[in-house]
Amino acid sequence: MLRSWRAWTLAVLTALLIFCLICRAAGDKDAVRELNEAAVHHEIVTLTTAAKTVTVTSVSAVETTQTAVTAAPTEPEYAMTAAEPYLSEQKAEWLKERVNLLAGTCPDFIGWLFMADTSIDNAVVQGTDNQYYLTHAPDGRELEIGTIFLDCRCDRHFSDAANILYGHNMQSGMFGDLSYFEDADSFESHRYGWLMTPDQLFCIDFFAIAEVSAYDELFDVPCESQAWISRVAENAVQYRDTDISDSDRYIALSTCSSFQDGARTFFTGKLIPIEANYAIK
């Protein structure tokens, strides 16, 4: 009788233990599911617009994709600098990701501009005028800091001889670093930048920084390249000799200058198409 009672008690305890384990497993699954849902609905993403990084909270995986943002890349094995014409494969893939996402969600998006050792790492758009994107994000939302944009008169594929990008002169972000390049040492150490479009990767070989009036003829684009470059050289604060031909394409980053009222800083370089090795041949 005692043995039967012990056997019955053991069976009951075993059943209770099994029941508890089943409940715990189900609870763990619910907890995991809740955590996964929380990760989707409360994921913090970074929306990089023209001048600075804005942190927003997405409410769904779809909205996360629409912001055209992924996790920042880890540090490459070989650190990039603006003094060398080198773009790491990792950074190139990072840029390609953003270009593909933004090209599919923002009709006015035309490329991504990057320069190592600076805060220049921004989307580039082109509107129907040269005012709208002073105060709007790439997706058209109102944004006080605006977006870097290509002059509306230039070809969106950067096929013109002279192409001008406009951006605000900010304390941190967008084209706020350009004024520092008027120093000889800083100019020499910031020679190369990168522009990735949906169709092409360009290395930008910068060779001049000038101070010009906002009404200077340099802003009359499209134009003939030889006269345009000569005008850049005439107003240059820093300049290095570069080969110039009628087939070359050029780009200038333009922003407000503190040099004098109505002045513009004009940082000019040559657009060099690059293939998959991400470096000048």
Side-chain angles (χ1 to χ4, degrees), residues 49 105-108 125 132-133 135-143 147:
T49 55
T105 57
C106 304
D108 288 341
V125 295
Y132 183 79
Y133 280 107
T135 56
H136 288 81
D139 61 3
R141 292 178 301 107
E142 288 191 10
L143 185 66
T147 306

Side-chain angles (χ1 to χ4, degrees), residues 8 20 42 58 61 63 70 125 180 226 234 238 244 262 281:
W8 183 84
C20 290
H42 300 284
S58 66
E63 290 186 9
T70 57
V125 295
Y180 299 117
Q226 295 283 347
E234 289 174 9
Q238 299 290 342
I244 296 174
K281 296 180 180 179

Side-chain angles (χ1 to χ4, degrees), residues 197-223:
T197 75
D199 306 311
Q200 178 69 59
L201 172 65
F202 296 98
C203 178
I204 307 174
D205 184 358
F206 289 103
F207 58 86
I209 187 162
E211 289 288 345
V212 300
S213 164
Y215 305 101
D216 195 278
E217 60 192 67
L218 281 170
F219 294 100
D220 296 332
V221 290
C223 61

